[in-house]
Amino acid sequence: NFVLTQPHSVSESPGKTVTISCTGNSGSIVSNFVQWYQQRPGSAPTTVIYEGIQRPSGVPDRFSGSIDSSSNSASLTISGLQAEDEADYFCQSYDDRNRVFGGGTKLTVL
Amino acid sequence: QVQLQESGPGLVRPSQTLSLTCNVSGGSINSDYYWSWIRQTPGKGLEWIGYVYYNGNTYYNPSLKSRIHMSVDTAKNQFSLKLTSMTAADSALYYCARESVTNNWFDPWGQGTLVTVSS
């Protein structure tokens, strides 16, 4: 079974930078697209990064994505943290044709 | 701007079949996208259930495949999910979402509909 592992929670102060990791237990995360979704309380998820590094229009450039093939992982970095960034973040990729989500990371902006 | 809206019963009895519909507005379901169902629980997080394409082609999560049926109604611009043999473990917030065939991201999502399995 393909599993994407994320830290359960991270916290950082406003104005700082935080990075959330997403590690695959098999296969190659590099060759499969990785998406990142932001979910605020009571709302549906919205995409902040797709194809590992692409940002949808309307998403601030404070959000960036990267891939590390050596560790089979993807990362979401949020710089200049703002209170509105406090949310759950999920990574998502593929296992053959099956779509798989990470367990989610709760970001707290202190 | 495409919007999705789920509809269906909030309560389902154990062993019964869940039927949900997702209405698509602001765009045509006859387009090059996968129309997906995703569910969310506090314990298991987000779980992709499967997709239906506008021509009726489907692909289901292997872990749920034996219990799922998805269909599309192009005349009504909506798609549907049926999940059989419901148990308490199927209690969840069910979302419909559009997945880009080319960029492989889910956008937009519906607001979600809460389904509880209980007698």
Side-chain angles (χ1 to χ4, degrees), chain B residues 24-93:
Chain B
V24 180
S25 60
S28 174
I29 204 167
N30 276 318
S31 49
D32 201 20
Y33 290 96
Y34 299 127
W35 302 96
S36 286
W37 289 96
I38 298 162
R39 65 185 184 180
Q40 184 173 29
T41 61
K44 289 190 69 176
L46 290 165
E47 180 179 33
W48 178 75
I49 299 171
Y51 73 68
V52 60
Y53 196 55
Y54 73 89
N55 64 1
N57 286 349
T58 56
Y59 187 78
Y60 303 145
N61 186 323
S63 69
L64 297 168
K65 184 179 178 180
S66 64
R67 300 168 51 212
I68 301 172
H69 176 71
M70 293 184 187
S71 60
V72 60
D73 187 331
T74 54
K76 293 183 178 180
N77 219 38
Q78 58 187 206
F79 60 105
S80 299
L81 164 70
K82 290 188 187 299
L83 183 61
T84 64
S85 304
M86 294 284 283
T87 70
D90 296 308
S91 295
L93 185 58

Side-chain angles (χ1 to χ4, degrees), chain A residues 3-74:
Chain A
V3 176
L4 293 171
T5 300
Q6 300 180 232
H8 183 68
S9 63
V10 295
S11 59
E12 190 51 270
S13 303
K16 300 291 190 180
T17 297
V18 69
T19 297
I20 300 171
S21 62
C22 172
T23 303
N25 67 334
S26 64
S28 172
I29 209 165
V30 174
S31 58
N32 293 315
F33 296 126
V34 176
Q35 279 64 244
W36 288 94
Y37 302 91
Q38 176 192 67
Q39 185 177 33
R40 295 191 174 106
S43 297
T46 60
T47 309
V48 292
I49 294 291
Y50 66 95
E51 291 184 344
I53 60 172
Q54 304 296 333
R55 202 171 43 248
S57 61
V59 174
D61 60 6
R62 302 185 296 104
F63 290 80
S64 63
S66 63
I67 301 287
D68 182 353
S69 58
S70 65
S71 60
N72 202 35
S73 65

